[in-house]
Amino acid sequence: MKKLTDYMAEELSSAFEKAGYDPSYGKVGVSNRPDLCEYQCNGAMAGAKAYKKAPFMIADDVVANLADSKVFSMKEMVKPGFINLKVSEEFLADYLKEMEKDEKLGADTAKEPKTIVIDYGGPNVAKPLHVGHLRSAIIGESIKRIGRFVGHKVIGDVHLGDWGLQMGLIITELKHRQPELVYFDDSFTGEYPTEAPFTISELEEIYPCASGKSKEDEAYRQEALEATHLLQQGKPGYMALWNHIMNVSVTDLKRNYANLNVSFDLWKKESDAQPYIPDMVEMMKEKGFAYQDQGALVVDVKEDTDTKEIPPCMLLKSDGASLYTTTDLATIVERMKLFHPDEILYVVDKRQELHFIQVFRCARKTGLVEDDTKLSFLGFGTMNGKDGKPFKTREGGVMRLENLIADIDEEMFNKIVENRSVRDKDAKDTAKIVGLAAIKYGDLSNQATKDYIFDVDRFTSFEGNTGPYILYTIVRIKSILNRYVEAGGNLEAGELLKASNGSEKNLMLQLSGFGSMIESAFEEKAPHKICAYIYEVSNAFNSFYHETKILSEENQAQKESYIRLLQLTKRVLETSIDLLGFEAPDKM
């Protein structure tokens, strides 16, 4: 389905051409002076130099050729040569009727669908999810949903950290605490137990304890390094423990991600990339890409155009151990083999930018990806507390994600109970739905690359640019539609008529921009554009609601038109929040 701005640009381009000017000057944009006009064309200003003519003269010629246009109700030249435009109410109503029929509400489906792998998890197993994992999860989830909505095949991968020193630390601490376990008996040849020798709570206590010891006790650290090495060599008892750690930890991770309404197609791990490392490293040696530098194996990735030093990409340490760089490169090999993606997108903390510059350049230089495979890095900013520093607990520690969610849910529950809008037995469920919207919208409404302040009081407010405000708008629409049906109204009756007042036309104009917004949000990997859009739609709807008697309208055709407009508004808002990864309750 064509966008409203496409229709306008066609009209303007044709008018420029009829007047003897290049049709490429017929670009149309939203006016930054809505008090004067809705849209504006500045092509006459751009063409003045080429045609050695005053801009207002060119604009006058163009406007004269728009006299019979059915798209515009107002088209006027304003000196020094702007063309101010207003859309015809009839044309706008007809456009929204087409939107109503379109499953995608006017958003284009990709003509050449791409396969895109998104890496947007990255938690380490055996550690609880904390607030530092929030942004990757919800930004990545939203981009995945937007990509699928516009027709691409998008594969989400959690990419667990499961193969580093933390595993050796956990195994070492378990050995110190329970040396009698069969996993540490080298003479044991039977079947290892199916039940893990620890719970998730115990596991989450063991790791920080072991980590603390390793920083103070060098012998303990060396023992953990040796345990890590033996695990990576496939020592049976350690592999059995590793499987227990994975099962217990991943079960808990899945539960926590489900609470965020975040899901992954793949639960791949660093260890899955291990089999690809030997051949990859050997290839880089044979082709002369990799060389020894102070005992380590590295690949140069600096380029002549670099304005700052880009260190070599290290493949293996002097002791032969692999690094994050190695497993990230091997993971690219695995992804190319399994999915042959057109793009691999990493949604990761922006402080890891140098790491990914090295990885991407190394992958390209050594031919791990094809020339047309896109490697993208979306580096997000930090989630900070009101003090402007990374978000912490009151005690100064890193806050667990499930504790943050519980705090937000409690805040929303108290507000809902205060409003007395939902019965007590439903209030807790509603608080969870609204609480998730508060968290996700609070984060996603900020440009991903920027740091932002996580302000619980502001994010849980029912007023202003917040998730609860958007949901409250949807719930208000649901309430009106329910009352209409209860009074005997038929939601399928009637059709959209042209706007009856200014606030209705403004709402219709906002709705018409859905397709353009979605296209832009996907191309720029920018969920914040959806947030900005639905905030404007919500404001436009609430202005229309306050200025218009919808259910008490006496003209039946007009009332039915209002109801059609409400249904379209609800669809646009609900589709948008689904792309952001949350939903609306029936009542608030």
Side-chain angles (χ1 to χ4, degrees):
M1 181 177 166
K2 266 203 289 199
K3 298 175 183 63
L4 188 66
T5 47
D6 291 339
Y7 284 110
M8 289 189 271
E10 283 175 9
E11 290 282 297
L12 265 295
S13 295
S14 175
F16 268 94
E17 195 166 27
K18 284 177 186 172
Y21 306 111
D22 190 324
S24 67
Y25 290 120
K27 292 186 177 69
V28 177
V30 176
S31 170
N32 56 10
R33 286 291 305 275
D35 54 320
L36 298 178
C37 58
E38 294 158 356
Y39 293 88
Q40 195 172 56
C41 173
N42 301 334
M45 306 288 287
K49 188 175 181 182
Y51 291 98
K52 297 182 174 60
K53 211 169 181 181
F56 76 88
M57 296 172 72
I58 296 174
D60 267 336
D61 293 342
V62 173
V63 168
N65 282 292
L66 290 170
D68 299 326
S69 171
K70 292 179 180 176
V71 176
F72 301 109
S73 59
M74 184 194 91
K75 45 270 179 185
E76 62 180 24
M77 184 282 293
V78 178
K79 285 189 174 180
F82 301 113
I83 300 173
N84 287 358
L85 305 160
K86 284 188 179 179
V87 181
S88 150
E89 282 81 357
E90 289 86 353
F91 186 83
L92 181 58
D94 287 341
Y95 184 82
L96 292 191
K97 285 178 198 173
E98 291 303 308
M99 259 185 84
E100 275 186 308
K101 296 175 198 168
D102 187 18
E103 186 188 349
K104 295 285 180 74
L105 294 162
D108 285 338
T109 299
K111 291 181 178 64
E112 295 179 10
K114 291 182 166 54
T115 298
I116 303 167
V117 174
I118 305 187
D119 186 321
Y120 64 101
N124 287 320
V125 298
K127 300 182 191 178
L129 286 179
H130 57 75
V131 293
H133 296 112
L134 182 71
R135 300 213 74 190
S136 179
I138 64 178
I139 295 168
E141 179 70 18
S142 181
I143 292 171
K144 179 186 77 177
R145 290 172 180 234
I146 299 166
R148 287 179 178 172
F149 185 76
V150 298
H152 298 291
K153 180 184 178 182
V154 187
I155 302 162
D157 185 5
V158 69
H159 193 63
L160 298 169
D162 71 324
W163 207 235
L165 178 59
Q166 86 257 28
M167 288 301 175
L169 287 166
I170 292 165
I171 290 169
T172 300
E173 183 60 21
L174 272 171
K175 190 174 183 179
H176 280 230
R177 293 184 184 192
Q178 301 180 69
E180 74 283 357
L181 290 173
V182 293
Y183 309 97
F184 307 115
D185 181 357
D186 290 340
S187 64
F188 183 77
T189 56
E191 292 286 320
Y192 289 103
T194 54
E195 283 289 311
F198 43 72
T199 64
I200 184 65
S201 299
E202 289 165 344
L203 190 58
E204 289 173 356
E205 180 271 325
I206 287 169
Y207 173 72
C209 173
S211 180
K213 283 184 183 179
S214 72
K215 288 168 186 167
E216 296 170 4
D217 184 342
E218 183 56 30
Y220 185 95
R221 176 177 166 77
Q222 288 304 318
E223 191 180 342
L225 285 167
E226 176 61 15
T228 306
H229 177 70
L230 289 172
L231 170 67
Q232 294 181 355
Q233 295 299 308
K235 184 179 170 78
Y238 289 7
M239 286 298 295
L241 272 177
W242 175 80
N243 278 316
H244 286 318
I245 294 167
M246 290 304 300
N247 290 336
V248 169
S249 191
V250 169
T251 299
D252 189 63
L253 285 170
K254 286 184 175 179
R255 178 181 63 82
N256 276 286
Y257 278 122
N259 287 338
L260 273 178
N261 198 18
V262 168
S263 64
F264 301 93
D265 305 287
L266 305 174
W267 283 80
K268 286 283 188 179
K269 313 171 291 294
E270 271 190 281
S271 57
D272 289 323
Q274 295 300 311
Y276 297 93
I277 290 176
D279 286 349
M280 178 186 78
V281 170
E282 197 55 40
M283 177 275 289
M284 292 184 187
K285 283 182 185 173
E286 282 179 8
K287 293 190 175 178
F289 296 121
Y291 65 95
Q292 295 284 337
D293 182 11
Q294 298 178 45
L297 190 69
V298 302
V299 175
D300 276 331
V301 292
K302 63 182 178 182
E303 295 177 357
D304 294 340
T305 53
D306 289 337
T307 55
K308 61 181 180 182
E309 185 67 25
I310 304 294
C313 181
M314 191 183 294
L315 295 177
L316 299 175
K317 293 195 288 188
S318 55
D319 62 0
S322 58
L323 304 96
Y324 281 128
T325 315
T326 328
T327 52
D328 276 344
L329 286 165
T331 299
I332 289 174
V333 173
E334 182 187 36
R335 286 170 177 165
M336 292 303 294
K337 180 184 176 185
L338 297 180
F339 308 110
H340 202 73
D342 298 287
E343 180 177 3
I344 306 174
L345 170 66
Y346 296 80
V347 183
V348 191
D349 189 314
K350 66 182 177 185
R351 289 170 291 191
Q352 293 192 43
E353 184 176 14
L354 176 59
H355 167 77
F356 281 99
I357 288 173
Q358 292 173 305
V359 168
F360 291 174
R361 287 186 181 182
C362 185
R364 287 222 176 278
K365 182 175 183 177
T366 61
L368 300 187
V369 293
E370 294 175 5
D371 291 343
D372 58 354
T373 305
K374 190 175 178 183
L375 296 172
S376 308
F377 170 74
L378 175 56
F380 53 78
T382 312
M383 170 182 157
N384 295 326
K386 288 183 182 179
D387 59 359
K389 297 175 182 176
F391 199 85
K392 301 277 187 184
T393 62
R394 289 193 182 93
E395 293 74 36
V398 177
M399 181 175 269
R400 288 178 67 141
L401 195 50
E402 62 184 320
N403 293 344
L404 175 71
I405 293 171
D407 288 351
I408 296 281
D409 288 352
E410 186 179 356
E411 184 74 18
M412 289 314 320
F413 176 75
N414 293 335
K415 289 188 176 182
I416 288 166
V417 170
E418 273 175 38
N419 288 348
R420 296 179 183 174
S421 54
V422 180
R423 287 174 299 181
D424 284 353
K425 73 182 185 70
D426 298 323
K428 274 200 160 50
D429 290 338
T430 303
K432 282 185 179 179
I433 295 170
V434 183
L436 184 60
I439 291 170
K440 287 198 165 187
Y441 190 92
D443 187 299
L444 293 170
S445 57
N446 297 277
Q447 191 171 335
T449 53
K450 294 183 178 175
D451 300 346
Y452 78 98
I453 304 296
F454 193 90
D455 184 339
V456 174
D457 294 332
R458 184 169 74 80
F459 289 176
T460 57
S461 172
F462 285 85
E463 297 174 355
N465 190 8
T466 69
Y469 170 68
I470 305 298
L471 297 194
Y472 191 77
T473 303
I474 296 171
V475 169
R476 171 174 273 168
I477 296 171
K478 286 183 178 182
S479 174
I480 297 168
L481 294 175
N482 287 339
R483 280 185 283 150
Y484 178 73
V485 171
E486 285 164 8
N490 177 6
L491 295 176
E492 302 300 317
E495 65 172 2
L496 266 169
L497 305 176
K498 68 177 187 177
S500 60
N501 56 46
S503 62
E504 184 178 13
K505 186 179 184 187
N506 182 43
L507 173 58
M508 294 170 93
L509 283 169
Q510 292 293 343
L511 295 175
S512 74
F514 177 79
S516 296
M517 177 277 296
I518 289 294
E519 184 179 291
S520 176
F522 175 71
E523 282 179 0
E524 298 178 34
K525 309 292 188 287
H528 72 276
K529 294 203 162 189
I530 298 181
C531 295
Y533 171 76
I534 58 176
Y535 180 54
E536 290 300 322
V537 170
S538 296
N539 286 338
F541 169 76
N542 285 310
S543 294
F544 165 68
Y545 167 79
H546 288 300
E547 291 177 23
T548 312
K549 292 178 179 177
I550 299 169
L551 294 179
S552 59
E553 171 60 52
E554 293 179 2
N555 182 313
Q556 185 61 23
Q558 183 62 69
K559 185 195 286 191
E560 288 168 352
S561 175
Y562 289 156
I563 293 299
R564 302 292 292 210
L565 183 60
L566 261 65
Q567 291 181 84
L568 183 58
T569 305
K570 176 173 166 285
R571 268 183 71 197
V572 165
L573 289 174
E574 288 184 330
T575 300
S576 297
I577 65 171
D578 181 65
L579 296 177
L580 297 174
F582 56 91
E583 61 183 2
D586 292 324
K587 293 181 180 178
M588 274 173 74

